Amino acid sequence: MEAGGNAVDAAVATGFCLEVLEPHLTGIGGEVPILIYSSRQGRVFSLSGQGVAPRAATIDWFRSRGISLIPGDGLLAATVPAAVDTFITALAEFGTLPLGQVLAPALSLASNGFPMYRTLRDNIAANAARYREEWPTTARIFLPQGRVPAVGEILRQPDWAETFEKLVRAEHDARGRGRAAALQAARDVFYRGEIAERI
């Protein structure tokens, strides 16, 4: 808000930062329901923020693989990540700043890192074996050199930084077509472009 944005710009900036700072509590792959009160219109707006099931995730697909109950966690339980779309929708409908400016704090945290704190360290320690056995890319990020980071050690998330940079570049490259088109370009790079392909 000190940079000239409004409360929605600040909330979205905070939301993206939390994705980096509290991966044990929130994540870009999760949901982000948002309620916004517009004093100008005197009403509350709701952004669902709930991910949809992937197109291939049908009951028949699960049954054909001998799965009678969708697992409680892991990739098979995941929806299409909703957070990026919901945050961008909030900016498009209610915000004032460009996505690049709103993402700058989260990009800095992901790129430059932040000191490991006790709660995150304890969560990583509790899940370290599962990361190593089931989710090697998670282990690569949260178990540097195969070990649980110490409290105070700087945790960097370069893949996150790269993802945020791609969103910012897409918005920047489309800015000549207007704010709505620029935000849509950032959304598209995540849901229809190279990020979606990697996911």
Side-chain angles (χ1 to χ4, degrees), residues 1 7-19 87 91 97 101-106 109:
M1 290 179 71
V8 172
D9 296 315
V12 170
T14 301
F16 275 119
C17 286
L18 289 174
E19 305 290 353
F87 286 146
L91 288 179
L97 297 177
Q101 191 171 351
V102 171
L103 266 176
L109 288 167

Side-chain angles (χ1 to χ4, degrees), residues 44-141:
V44 175
F45 293 87
S46 171
L47 302 179
S48 170
Q50 304 298 307
V52 297
R55 184 176 294 150
T58 64
I59 292 171
D60 289 339
W61 185 92
F62 282 100
R63 285 183 180 154
S64 72
R65 285 153 179 82
I67 302 169
S68 59
L69 183 65
I70 297 173
D73 65 6
L75 293 176
L76 291 181
T79 62
V80 174
V84 169
D85 178 59
T86 309
F87 286 146
I88 290 174
T89 298
L91 288 179
E93 298 295 323
F94 303 99
T96 61
L97 297 177
L99 179 63
Q101 191 171 351
V102 171
L103 266 176
L107 176 56
S108 176
L109 288 167
S111 181
N112 300 321
F114 59 90
M116 178 62 64
Y117 55 94
R118 172 76 51 200
T119 307
L120 178 55
R121 187 236 174 256
D122 290 351
N123 185 275
I124 292 169
N127 290 286
R130 191 165 188 203
Y131 293 167
R132 287 183 188 104
E133 294 165 16
E134 296 180 44
W135 302 324
T137 56
T138 300
R140 184 173 46 87
I141 296 164

Side-chain angles (χ1 to χ4, degrees), residues 153-174:
E153 185 175 338
I154 300 299
L155 176 67
R156 290 180 179 83
Q157 297 176 67
D159 288 345
W160 255 135
E162 181 183 337
T163 298
F164 291 150
E165 286 170 353
K166 287 177 182 175
L167 298 176
V168 171
R169 268 195 310 275
E171 179 195 41
H172 179 268
D173 291 348

